[in-house]
Amino acid sequence: MSGHSKWHSIKHKKAVTDAKKGKVFSKISRIIGVATKEKGGDPDKNPTLRLAIEKAKQANMPNENIQRIIKKYSGEENQDKFEEIVFEGYGPGGVALIIETITDSRNRISQEIKHILSSHNGNLAIPGSVMWMFERKGRIILSQDQHDFSNIEALAIEAGADDITTEDELIIITTEPTELNNVRIFFEQKNIKIENAELEYVAKNTVDIDSDEIKNQINSLFL
């Protein structure tokens, strides 16, 4: 009986893991597809695609899957109409949000985002009302327990990064959007393991939230 219970638990955990992996693969597939459609399937000439491929590899997506997606979206015959849409909004406690999406239906995703926000005491904002609070930046994430901060800081300066900080046991290197790939390659050539590298909207200013209730609502929204 115990063996049966153990196998049942293993199957359940595997199902959860597979489901999460499927969602990640689906998201990355769309990112690769959009990047390919916009600027072609050559990662050497398409930095956005190159970053998407790196993200796919970090998620252990098989290379044949990556190449199949690039091939599919490189052709004129492809009829999928995926596009990137950025929403602006407010979450619990008036927290400003930039929400990046990839969708084949502008109306459907708009309604979904509106529903999610309203269900968590938030709301959509008109274009431009939130964007000014953020900057588009490249962010490279390293694990703090695997690297000496002083050494990484010196390398970040040498690579031309804008800033370097620590947060929640992570080292965060900030770059200009156009320099993200160059800085990433610089660190990879130094055999330094990168946990993540991507373009993000970074808040110009941050505020502390004292209310535990608001904190829980925000965590619930992000999950």
Side-chain angles (χ1 to χ4, degrees), residues 86-100 113-114 116-118 120-134 221-222:
V86 178
F87 293 94
E88 301 174 46
Y90 294 97
V95 173
L97 301 171
I98 300 293
I99 305 166
E100 297 180 275
I113 295 297
K114 186 182 296 185
I116 291 171
L117 289 176
S118 63
H120 293 82
N121 296 322
N123 60 276
L124 278 177
I126 61 174
S129 60
V130 171
M131 188 65 72
W132 65 272
M133 304 181 196
F134 294 81
L221 169 61
F222 288 162

Side-chain angles (χ1 to χ4, degrees), residues 29-30 33-34 37-38 72-73 78-84 102-105 108:
S29 296
R30 293 189 179 190
V34 170
K37 285 176 64 177
E38 289 184 345
K72 175 182 177 182
Y73 285 89
N78 178 59
Q79 298 300 312
D80 291 338
K81 302 297 181 182
F82 288 116
E83 60 178 325
E84 290 183 279
I102 296 177
T103 181
D104 59 352
S105 173
R108 186 180 70 244

Side-chain angles (χ1 to χ4, degrees), residues 161-180:
D162 282 1
D163 193 17
I164 178 170
T165 58
T166 60
E167 179 181 326
D168 296 331
E169 300 182 355
L170 298 174
I171 299 175
I172 303 173
I173 301 166
T174 305
T175 77
E176 288 299 316
T178 55
E179 290 301 310
L180 173 60

Side-chain angles (χ1 to χ4, degrees), residues 138-155:
R139 300 232 299 178
I140 296 173
I141 310 298
L142 308 178
S143 175
Q144 193 171 359
D145 62 3
Q146 296 183 20
H147 304 287
D148 176 72
F149 180 82
S150 297
N151 179 52
I152 297 299
E153 183 178 34
L155 291 174

